[in-house]
Amino acid sequence: MPILQQTASKNLGRSFFRTSKQAQTTRSLFTQSAPVKRTPIRTGLYTTAFVLSAGVFAVYYFDARSALHRYVLTPALRNVLDAETGHKVAVKALRAGIAPKDPVQDDARLKCKLWGEDISNPVGLAAGFDKDGEAIDGLFDLGFSWVEIGSVTPKPQPGNPRPRMFRLEEDDAVINRYGFPSQGHSSVLSRVRSRIPLFGTPPERAALREGAMLAVNLGKNKESPAESVDDFVAGVRTFGPYADVLVVNVSSPNTPGLRGLQNKELLESLLENVTKARDNLEPSVLTAKRPRIVLKIAPDLEESQLIEMADVIRRSKIDGVIVSNTTIQRPKTLRSANKSEIGGLSGPPIKPFSLKAVQILRSQLPSSIPLIGCGGIVSGRDALDYARAGASMVQVYTGFGYDGVGACRRIKDQLAEELEKEGKTWDQIVNESVDKLSWVEPPPPEKVEPTVSQLVAEAEELKAMLEKLGESLEKLGNLLTYTVASAFSVIMIMETTPTRPSRVPKPSTPSIKSSASTSSISSVTPRNVPSISSRISVRHGISEENLVLLSANPPETKLTNLSYNPLKKDERGLPSIIDKETGVQVHRHSDLWFDDGSVICRAENTLFCVHMSQLARHSLVFHDMVMLSHPETSRLDSSMVIPEGTNTFSRRVPVVYLFDVAEDVGNLLTALYDGPNFGNNDEDDFRAVSGILRLSSKYLIDSLRAKALAHLSLAWPSDLKTWDMREDISRGYEIEGTPGYTHRYPHPFNVISLAREVNAPSLLPSAFYDLSRYSFSQIFEPTEDEPLYRSPPLPPLLALDTRRLALGREASQNAITTLIQSMGSGQYIRHAQQHPTSSHSRKASSAGICVSAAACRKDFTELVDLATQHYLFDRERGCYDPLYVAEELGQLKSAEFSECKACAKSLEAWAAREREKIWKMIPFWFRLESGGDISPTLH
């Protein structure tokens, strides 16, 4: 290669590399600085800081006492998740072992004894949180000395439909209607058994830890017979070897018929069977003992019922009582919008009811039967109140859900502080209260040796009694002689009389009998117990003024006189049913007769065989009838034996008499089963909806009442927008020439009467206004071709409502006159001040300014004259309807003189404002009470 070429190549190469290096080091907008080299020391420091931070956070997180759980994590879960989902997440976290623990040893002052066994502290967890035994050890780790799982039913069941758990955050309370959702005995038993260690020293208790107890709450399946005790006996046999305590739950308000087991006879049978099953168990291979049996009761029992129950408990072999379960009562102090939900209420509002029940039972039970208090315990002071009332332990539930995992530790710390102030231990306070308040068996009467004078007096008294007995026997002998002689003469006459052919005996048919213990629905006699409306008023804080429909014709169960007629079949091919009192045939409803129904409702001459659970789930009245037990002296049950399909077996079903129209009852039950299916608000639809609204108000079915009112409000609204839609529909029928369009909506008389009956004042303004659009002759003396004519004539308005109508019509006429005068004042003309001109020629307006005010004022004067003649003198259509007049006046300018857009739009805006004012004034015109539609349960 030539030298010149080699030199050029070398210079070119150096130039290239130099250029590349410069290009690499040149900084631009997107150039990043070279990363700083990390030394091993720096990396180690970062790693150490991360590990220490994570360790500190872990220690803080896994400590149940940390404020993180109470003020951050628990409120966050409540705000993000619904009540039931949050509940399930908490159980899963405890099961997985990622939940916090209580690292502090219990204070010595908190130690207590139960059935002679040491317990580390008196705070336990009530049933309902861990329903299927998934997080037993996680709950013990939070510091509870008693963990109660369940309720557990023999067969798996899903419980009630969701939503079934509701937070009342303003009251720190919860309402649930779970209905015993359970995975069944087999699944829960496998979890309990999986905890048992395979090696090591056998535990002394099923809790597998010192100073604690494991309890299993036993429930019954929903489809089991109401009075059956087999589910509880099966639970004792299944879980007896693996539990320290078995809890017999007869107090859940969410299982139809369950609370009926609290009645005296049924409770005696139940306790006898479960204790017998327990005594027949072999001592547990785990604890070498048999489990304790504890009864869980409701706080809704009357004092007389608690006394009867205590008498049964004293004579039984059970070991204790938990007082109490959730309540169906609704205190007046509740503020949350969810307070009207059906289900059991728990939390601080229940504390007075539970505490009172503890005090009553403590005074009726011996000290050998401990009580466990449950209900509204959220602090150490609450626990101490139960101890002073005679409870040996306490249980928490709702407070645990609101305060989080540290609730147990906080209650124990507060309790220790309270005990330190008093200088006593928990055991000392409990023993003092139990010794002072417990029932003591009265001593037997002393035997007194009779004296000689007493013996002589008794002998003379006995002699006089024998003499009277002799005289009576002599008279009786004479009577018997006469009777035998008469009977002999009758027999002789019959033997000499020709005999008639004997009748073929009738086949035996099911009969309707009175039963004192087969039904969980009870009827209360007025002599002993208040009426059902009075009980609901007391239990749920509802004024009796809002229970007028119920108190006028309450449902009741009474001795029935129905019988089968096997010689006559109904349309279903079943024997017809006859009312023996009247001789009238009673019909089964074609769609609402379920072969598996658990209650028969009779309305007029129609029978409905439906499900108790369906009625109790929706209606507060039927819920109380089904769920609440009543004193035996006040029970008068009726029942009916019905065949089980095509089988030869039969079962007894209670009969409830509903003193309502059968058609309305059928519509109500159909709406409860299938949901409401309303129509187009015509008269036929109104007849069905009004019946549903009337009965849903009577039986306190708030959800259905709200839906019926919402449907009626489409035709009788409380806002102007919906009223305009109603009128547009009516005018559409009129324009189309639809026959009978004037009768599309029901007569306002019927709407006003219904609104008064069911306390729905929101329907009244539109009903009165609709009525006021007619003349008095059209209202009170309509002819056949007029819209308000009905045959037969409707009942007249009340005198006070007639006066309201007259005052309202006068006010509406004045409103029309005022409207026309206001339009003629010209105050709505948009003057063109920034565009002075002397020309009155009509120009197209722009920017919303009138360019010819004088001409527009003249136009308004002509329109006022036209409206005055049309509405005030000629009395044309709409002359009694100020809303219609205002709407028409607002359209006059744009319809006739559209050149001035500014004044036309101004007139339309004025008319819209006037219509809003008129609508707001309607209740004042007719002197109607203000306020919306309030369900009786919300009063």
Side-chain angles (χ1 to χ4, degrees):
M1 179 181 293
I3 296 175
L4 183 61
Q5 187 176 357
Q6 292 181 0
T7 305
S9 299
K10 292 179 180 178
N11 291 336
L12 183 61
R14 292 191 190 100
S15 172
F16 174 78
F17 286 110
R18 186 163 53 249
T19 302
S20 301
K21 185 176 181 181
Q22 289 175 355
Q24 289 179 359
T25 59
T26 301
R27 297 183 62 85
S28 64
L29 180 63
F30 302 100
T31 304
Q32 296 181 356
S33 60
V36 178
K37 293 183 179 181
R38 291 185 179 177
T39 64
I41 297 176
R42 185 188 298 270
T43 303
L45 289 175
Y46 284 160
T47 303
T48 304
F50 175 77
V51 171
L52 289 176
S53 300
V56 170
F57 177 78
V59 171
Y60 188 67
Y61 170 80
F62 284 105
D63 190 339
R65 300 170 296 170
S66 63
L68 172 71
H69 303 290
R70 186 178 189 183
Y71 299 110
V72 179
L73 295 181
T74 303
L77 284 175
R78 283 205 303 269
N79 291 328
V80 173
L81 304 175
D82 64 84
E84 183 169 353
T85 304
H87 180 181
K88 291 182 178 179
V89 168
V91 173
K92 300 301 181 185
L94 288 164
R95 177 184 181 180
I98 59 175
K101 295 177 174 58
D102 180 11
V104 182
Q105 188 175 1
D106 290 335
D107 193 296
R109 299 183 187 88
L110 301 179
K111 288 185 178 180
C112 59
K113 283 187 176 294
L114 197 64
W115 302 301
E117 300 187 31
D118 293 329
I119 307 294
S120 62
N121 69 79
V123 183
L125 179 66
F129 183 82
D130 186 6
K131 297 180 179 296
D132 297 309
E134 300 177 74
I136 298 174
D137 292 306
L139 292 169
F140 276 126
D141 289 339
L142 294 180
F144 292 108
S145 64
W146 172 300
V147 171
E148 188 174 329
I149 64 173
S151 292
V152 187
T153 58
K155 301 176 184 177
Q157 64 179 25
N160 292 326
R162 297 183 67 172
R164 52 191 180 181
M165 188 175 186
F166 309 90
R167 297 189 186 104
L168 283 66
E169 297 197 18
E170 297 87 344
D171 308 291
D172 294 329
V174 166
I175 291 177
N176 86 82
R177 52 170 179 261
Y178 272 118
F180 284 174
S182 176
Q183 297 179 10
H185 282 180
S186 300
S187 179
V188 178
L189 179 63
S190 64
R191 291 196 186 97
V192 174
R193 294 178 64 176
S194 66
R195 299 176 57 247
I196 302 173
L198 299 177
F199 305 99
T201 306
E204 295 182 0
R205 297 180 186 171
L208 304 184
R209 54 190 69 205
E210 187 179 355
M213 287 191 173
L214 173 64
V216 179
N217 189 291
L218 305 178
K220 65 182 301 184
N221 286 111
K222 187 174 293 186
E223 67 270 14
S224 299
E227 59 277 354
S228 173
V229 301
D230 295 341
D231 288 0
F232 295 106
V233 172
V236 172
R237 293 170 179 165
T238 301
F239 292 101
Y242 304 100
D244 297 308
V245 182
L246 298 176
V247 182
V248 179
N249 187 354
V250 294
S251 51
S252 171
N254 302 314
T255 299
L258 182 64
R259 287 194 172 189
L261 292 174
Q262 295 177 122
N263 287 322
K264 186 175 181 181
E265 283 79 7
L266 296 179
L267 184 63
E268 286 178 344
S269 173
L270 171 65
L271 298 185
E272 180 182 358
N273 281 276
V274 295
T275 53
K276 183 178 179 181
R278 186 269 312 270
D279 294 341
N280 290 335
L281 291 175
E282 294 293 332
S284 171
V285 295
L286 186 64
T287 63
K289 293 179 292 188
R290 295 183 178 89
R292 303 283 181 172
I293 299 290
V294 173
L295 179 69
K296 188 167 188 176
I297 67 170
D300 305 309
L301 299 171
E302 305 290 344
E303 183 174 356
S304 60
Q305 294 173 277
L306 288 172
I307 294 174
E308 279 188 357
M309 182 177 288
D311 180 60
V312 175
I313 293 171
R314 286 198 305 266
R315 291 184 281 106
S316 69
K317 295 181 181 180
I318 68 168
D319 302 289
V321 183
I322 296 178
V323 187
S324 63
N325 210 318
T326 57
T327 180
I328 60 174
Q329 302 183 62
R330 297 295 183 265
K332 297 180 180 179
T333 56
L334 294 180
R335 297 171 293 167
S336 173
N338 288 330
K339 64 183 179 181
S340 60
E341 291 290 343
I342 295 294
L345 172 70
S346 62
I350 195 182
K351 181 184 172 185
F353 307 121
S354 298
L355 203 58
K356 181 181 179 182
V358 169
Q359 294 167 345
I360 295 173
L361 269 185
R362 185 71 282 164
S363 66
Q364 300 296 321
L365 292 177
S367 58
S368 59
I369 301 179
L371 301 182
I372 300 172
C374 180
I377 298 171
V378 296
S379 66
R381 187 178 297 273
D382 292 330
L384 209 55
D385 290 341
Y386 275 92
R388 293 194 179 100
S392 301
M393 279 190 68
V394 294
Q395 291 182 337
V396 299
Y397 178 74
T398 305
F400 176 51
Y402 274 100
D403 285 350
V405 292
C408 180
R409 170 46 55 189
R410 276 188 293 278
I411 292 174
K412 292 191 291 186
D413 289 344
Q414 294 170 5
L415 183 56
E417 292 176 5
E418 296 290 335
L419 293 173
E420 185 178 6
K421 291 178 184 178
E422 298 193 13
K424 296 180 180 179
T425 65
W426 174 269
D427 257 352
Q428 288 175 339
I429 291 181
V430 169
N431 291 337
E432 290 175 3
S433 302
V434 171
D435 293 341
K436 179 181 177 181
L437 302 175
S438 294
W439 175 84
V440 179
E441 186 175 1
E446 297 181 0
K447 293 184 179 181
V448 181
E449 294 294 334
T451 61
V452 176
S453 57
Q454 289 177 338
L455 293 174
V456 172
E458 290 177 2
E460 292 177 352
E461 184 179 358
L462 180 60
K463 179 182 178 182
M465 293 174 60
L466 290 174
E467 291 176 352
K468 291 182 180 180
L469 180 61
E471 295 175 359
S472 300
L473 289 175
E474 184 178 357
K475 294 179 181 179
L476 181 61
N478 296 335
L479 180 61
L480 287 174
T481 302
Y482 173 78
T483 303
V484 170
S486 301
F488 181 75
S489 62
V490 170
I491 292 173
M492 294 298 294
I493 294 173
M494 293 177 63
E495 287 180 350
T496 58
T497 305
T499 59
R500 297 180 180 180
S502 60
R503 294 182 179 181
V504 178
K506 295 182 179 180
S508 60
T509 58
S511 60
I512 298 166
K513 301 178 181 179
S514 171
S515 170
S517 61
T518 56
S519 172
S520 63
I521 296 183
S522 303
S523 174
V524 181
T525 58
R527 293 184 303 172
N528 300 327
V529 178
S531 64
I532 184 172
S533 58
S534 301
R535 294 202 312 273
I536 289 178
S537 175
V538 172
R539 292 182 183 279
H540 304 287
I542 303 173
S543 171
E544 291 203 37
E545 296 176 358
N546 300 308
L547 299 173
V548 175
L549 290 174
L550 180 63
S551 58
N553 291 305
E556 62 180 48
T557 55
K558 60 181 182 179
L559 289 176
T560 178
N561 289 312
L562 302 178
S563 64
Y564 287 98
N565 182 7
L567 302 179
K568 187 177 181 181
K569 304 292 183 180
D570 62 6
E571 61 274 8
R572 297 166 59 98
L574 299 175
S576 61
I577 302 175
I578 304 297
D579 188 331
K580 293 191 294 186
E581 288 185 359
T582 60
V584 177
Q585 181 176 348
V586 183
H587 303 278
R588 301 175 178 87
H589 194 277
S590 57
D591 295 328
L592 294 167
W593 183 275
F594 298 98
D595 292 336
D596 61 343
S598 53
V599 63
I600 294 176
C601 298
R602 178 179 178 182
E604 297 180 331
N605 291 324
T606 304
L607 299 179
F608 308 85
C609 187
V610 293
H611 304 88
M612 284 183 184
S613 57
Q614 189 72 6
L615 297 180
R617 185 182 306 126
H618 295 91
S619 167
L620 201 59
V621 175
F622 289 113
H623 184 275
D624 278 18
M625 289 184 68
V626 172
M627 300 300 178
L628 292 183
S629 56
H630 304 287
E632 288 297 317
T633 56
S634 65
R635 297 176 69 234
L636 185 61
D637 297 347
S638 67
S639 58
M640 177 175 178
V641 177
I642 63 175
E644 287 276 10
T646 58
N647 300 328
T648 58
F649 301 103
S650 61
R651 57 193 177 92
R652 190 176 298 279
V653 178
V655 180
V656 178
Y657 282 74
L658 305 179
F659 300 97
D660 305 299
V661 178
E663 181 183 0
D664 292 346
V665 174
N667 292 332
L668 177 75
L669 294 175
T670 301
L672 290 181
Y673 274 95
D674 303 331
N677 184 20
F678 301 135
N680 57 1
N681 265 310
D682 58 9
E683 289 202 286
D684 292 336
D685 178 63
F686 177 80
R687 190 179 303 109
V689 177
S690 61
I692 292 175
L693 177 59
R694 192 176 292 106
L695 295 188
S696 61
S697 301
K698 175 179 179 178
Y699 297 120
L700 306 182
I701 309 175
D702 286 346
S703 59
L704 195 55
R705 171 189 162 90
K707 293 177 181 177
L709 275 175
H711 176 70
L712 290 178
S713 296
L714 298 176
W716 310 96
S718 58
D719 63 281
L720 181 58
K721 183 178 179 181
T722 310
W723 174 265
D724 289 339
M725 293 173 58
R726 170 198 197 269
E727 292 298 285
D728 290 343
I729 294 173
S730 181
R731 289 169 190 167
Y733 274 84
E734 180 180 2
I735 293 172
E736 294 173 5
T738 305
Y741 74 91
T742 53
H743 290 183
R744 170 172 171 73
Y745 297 111
H747 198 293
F749 277 14
N750 291 332
V751 180
I752 294 171
S753 176
L754 176 67
R756 297 291 189 202
E757 190 175 4
V758 301
N759 192 21
S762 69
L763 302 177
L764 292 175
S766 53
F768 271 98
Y769 183 78
D770 186 34
L771 195 60
S772 70
R773 298 190 295 176
Y774 300 93
S775 65
F776 280 116
S777 61
Q778 290 176 315
I779 296 173
F780 297 107
E781 295 179 354
T783 59
E784 292 187 11
D785 58 343
E786 291 179 336
L788 295 184
Y789 177 78
R790 298 292 186 274
S791 179
L794 299 177
L797 288 177
L798 299 174
L800 186 59
D801 285 337
T802 303
R803 183 170 177 268
R804 288 191 176 100
L805 176 63
L807 294 173
R809 289 190 78 259
E810 181 180 357
S812 68
Q813 291 300 293
N814 293 335
I816 294 176
T817 303
T818 305
L819 275 172
I820 297 174
Q821 292 174 351
S822 298
M823 188 181 71
S825 65
Q827 56 180 311
Y828 304 105
I829 298 177
R830 307 290 295 273
H831 298 280
Q833 297 176 355
Q834 66 270 40
H835 300 286
T837 178
S838 59
S839 174
H840 292 283
S841 61
R842 194 62 64 87
K843 295 182 180 179
S845 60
S846 62
I849 301 298
C850 175
V851 296
S852 182
C856 286
R857 187 175 290 108
K858 182 180 178 181
D859 293 341
F860 276 113
T861 303
E862 293 176 358
L863 294 177
V864 167
D865 294 340
L866 179 64
T868 303
Q869 181 68 32
H870 185 81
Y871 294 116
L872 299 183
F873 294 110
D874 295 341
R875 294 293 180 182
E876 297 293 338
R877 173 174 178 171
C879 63
Y880 300 112
D881 189 348
L883 288 174
Y884 177 82
V885 172
E887 183 180 11
E888 290 294 310
L889 294 180
Q891 299 295 326
L892 286 177
K893 181 70 177 173
S894 58
E896 297 291 336
F897 306 101
S898 59
E899 294 88 347
C900 186
K901 301 294 184 182
C903 289
K905 291 181 179 179
S906 178
L907 183 62
E908 289 178 2
W910 164 80
R913 290 194 298 271
E914 291 299 318
R915 295 183 82 243
E916 290 287 348
K917 293 178 184 178
I918 291 171
W919 184 261
K920 293 179 181 178
M921 289 302 297
I922 289 175
F924 299 97
W925 290 352
F926 295 96
R927 274 63 169 180
L928 299 175
E929 56 272 15
S930 60
D933 306 312
I934 302 178
S935 168
T937 58
L938 299 181
H939 272 283

